[in-house]
Amino acid sequence: MHPGVNCISFTGGDTGISISKKAGMIPLQMELGGKDACIVLEDADLDLVAANIIKGGLFLQVVLVMESVADALVEKVKARVAKLRIGPPEDDCDITPVVTESSANFIEGLVMDAKDKGATFCQQYKREGNLIWPLLLDNVRPDMRIAWEEPFGPILPVIRINSVEEGIHHCNASNFGLQGCVFTKDINKAMLISDAMETGTVQINSAPARGPDHFPFQGLKDSGIGSQGITNSIDMMTKVKTTVINLPSPSYSMGSSGSSIRSRI
C-alpha cells in the first residue's frame, strides 16, 4: 500500500489473496498454490503413472483414476511408497519433516477428517513431531477435505471415477487451478481433456512441474494472477507509453521520390 510500490510479485497462499485485495491498481504477479488434478485413463501406462506420482513428491495432487484400473494403480503406488526413505534431510531422505508444528497439525486434521468419513488407508498413519510418513488414501470422496485442500505434506488422495467428464468436473470445481496432468496413450483424448481443464498448465504423461524460466507459468482462479517466466515478468514490470507527434503539415509527400526522401530524413 506504500506509494513507492509499483508492482508486486509474490508466492504463497491466502496471504497473496489478502495482498491482492489491498493492492488497488498495482500490477500483480502471484503464484498462490494448487491442488493439481491427475486424471488417469484406462489405457494409461500405470507404471509410468506410479513413478510420476512419486516423482511429484506426493504433493499438491489429487489422483482421479478410472475405476477399472484403480486397484492396479493403487498397488503400484503402494509398492513405491514402501521404498521411500523417511527421516531428517541431512540423511538425504525422500520424505523429511514439514516446516512447522502447525503445518503438521493441519495435515493431521485432513487425515483424521478422511478417516472419519471412510477413506481407505493404504498405510498406517504415522507421525513423529513434524515428520509425517507418506500416506496413500484410497476411496476418497468429494465430501472429504483432502479432496480439495492443499496439504503441503506427503498425503495423496485417490478418487475413483467412472468417466472422463467426472474427472474434469472435479478438477474444475476446485477453487485452485495451478497445474494438472493427464495420463493416456491417446493424444487426441489428452488434448481434449487438457482443453477442458481449468488449470494454468497441463502435463501429458508426466507429473506437474515447473518448466525452464522462459516457459510461462501461471495459475487460474485462486492459484494466482499473471504469469511467471522471463518475458512475462518483464512485461509485468513494463508500462507502455505512446508519444504521438502531430505536425502542422503532412510529414510526407505523394510526389517525387526526392520529396519522400527529404520527408523521411
Side-chain angles (χ1 to χ4, degrees), residues 3 5-6 8-9 19 39 47 59 64 80 110 113-115 124 129 151 155 162 167 175 181 203 210 241 247 260:
V5 176
N6 54 23
I8 299 173
S9 180
I19 291 172
I39 300 178
D47 288 315
F59 293 118
L64 302 155
R80 291 177 178 270
L110 296 179
D113 175 78
K115 181 179 180 180
Q124 180 181 359
I155 311 299
N162 294 300
N175 63 309
C181 52
Q203 295 272 354
R210 277 296 301 263
K241 179 177 181 179
L247 301 178
S260 297

Side-chain angles (χ1 to χ4, degrees), residues 47-166:
D47 288 315
L48 178 67
V49 178
N52 275 273
I53 286 174
I54 300 301
K55 172 187 172 184
L58 296 176
F59 293 118
L60 309 181
Q61 290 197 45
V62 54
V63 175
L64 302 155
V65 56
M66 295 295 288
E67 178 70 54
S68 60
V69 295
D71 286 344
L73 177 61
V74 167
E75 289 303 315
K76 289 179 181 294
V77 175
K78 284 172 60 178
R80 291 177 178 270
V81 168
K83 297 178 181 179
L84 294 174
R85 296 179 61 207
I86 296 92
E90 55 266 28
D91 291 345
D92 195 28
C93 291
D94 301 303
I95 303 295
T96 58
V98 297
V99 67
T100 64
E101 183 180 1
S102 61
S103 295
N105 291 340
F106 173 76
I107 294 168
E108 184 166 303
L110 296 179
V111 171
M112 293 301 104
D113 175 78
K115 181 179 180 180
D116 292 342
K117 294 175 180 175
T120 301
F121 280 48
C122 297
Q123 297 84 20
Q124 180 181 359
Y125 174 65
K126 183 178 179 181
R127 172 187 173 184
E128 291 181 2
N130 293 358
L131 180 60
I132 295 177
W133 269 246
L135 177 62
L136 182 65
L137 295 174
D138 194 7
N139 296 300
V140 169
R141 300 191 314 271
D143 64 332
M144 299 177 186
R145 290 173 55 200
I146 191 63
W148 307 103
E149 299 182 39
E150 180 182 16
F152 253 115
I155 311 299
L156 181 68
V158 175
I159 298 178
R160 296 171 178 239
I161 57 176
N162 294 300
S163 68
V164 170
E165 291 76 14
E166 188 179 346

Side-chain angles (χ1 to χ4, degrees), residues 176-194:
F176 291 116
L178 186 59
Q179 296 197 74
C181 52
V182 181
F183 285 88
T184 177
K185 296 174 184 175
D186 188 327
I187 188 61
N188 294 317
K189 287 183 180 179
M191 294 306 297
L192 288 171
I193 296 169
S194 172

